[in-house]
Amino acid sequence: MNANGQTADVPVEAVLRTPPKRSVWVDAWKRLKRQRAAMVGGSLVALFIVIGLLAPVLAPYDPTAQDLSHHLQPASAQHWLGTDEAGRDELSRLLYGARISLTIGFFSVVSSLIVGALLGLVAGFFGGWADVLISRVFDVMLAFPSILLAIAIVAILGPGLFNALLAVAIINVPTYGRLIRSRVLSVKQEEYVLACRALGMSNARLLFRHVLPNSWAPLIVQATLGIGTAILDAAALGFLGLGAQPPSPEWGKMLSDAKDYISNAPWIVAAPGIAIALSVLGFNLFGDGLRDALDPKMK
């Protein structure tokens, strides 16, 4: 209504126009950017990823080249982080170790996520004997400490980098399986899922088009946190001699080789230890921030 008391003509388009809906992920990213701890964690994660990808360019020396005449040397202009017991450049081995540790972390989490998600989908959606069987297998696996189960798997398969990756992937399957199962049990009771059932939609289409996409958020958060745990588990296996084998520059193996020289050459222990701590810290901080950003209660 205008100043003269007459009704103003409003275009129909203006009445019907509704503000565009923003994506859930866009809103989550905006909330994530406001969390300083998460941004610090994300920066650490990005730094280690860049280091791993550019290791051949950044490393000043061959990480496996030995020079016994310059072993256990402290930091210098030629070797910024010193040399180890075999005269190998510590900085080069640390940079290449980032590639190995991140590879184990990413691929083990992706593998366990795929297998666990599929098993959890079947258990939660179909229920019955499938749910009982899968849930009992998960319970048995979770009854053992994860690192003890990983050691047992590697002891059966034999030491090696691939077997360590496989063991870390196997021990994390129940975590993702139980998480997706609990989420599916909730989602399948939603009205839109019941409507799709009433319309005769197939189980496969219902699972992968509606149930799984609405169950991804907690899985992504857990996967982000799980990468840090996987790096730590792989380092533990490497420290015990069950992971990467010499002369592979894996952080856990570097710690194992350096433990006998901690008193007279502490730098060869400090470098891989700090790298493991910072990488795990980065993924944990970023995962915690991502969890809060994707939580609808935090809006």
Side-chain angles (χ1 to χ4, degrees), residues 101-124:
S101 295
L102 289 178
T103 298
I104 294 176
F106 280 113
F107 281 96
S108 62
V109 166
V110 169
S111 301
S112 56
L113 177 61
I114 292 174
V115 176
L118 290 176
L119 293 175
L121 277 174
V122 172

Side-chain angles (χ1 to χ4, degrees), residues 83-147:
T83 60
D84 64 5
E85 72 282 358
R88 296 169 295 198
D89 183 66
E90 191 73 5
L91 176 60
S92 299
R93 292 179 63 78
L94 198 69
L95 295 176
Y96 274 88
R99 169 177 289 193
I100 296 175
S101 295
L102 289 178
T103 298
I104 294 176
F106 280 113
F107 281 96
S108 62
V109 166
V110 169
S111 301
S112 56
L113 177 61
I114 292 174
V115 176
L118 290 176
L119 293 175
L121 277 174
V122 172
F125 189 79
F126 294 102
W129 64 268
D131 185 18
V132 173
L133 177 62
I134 294 173
S135 297
R136 294 298 78 78
V137 171
F138 287 166
D139 291 340
V140 171
M141 294 179 67
L142 291 171
F144 297 92
S146 59
I147 189 62

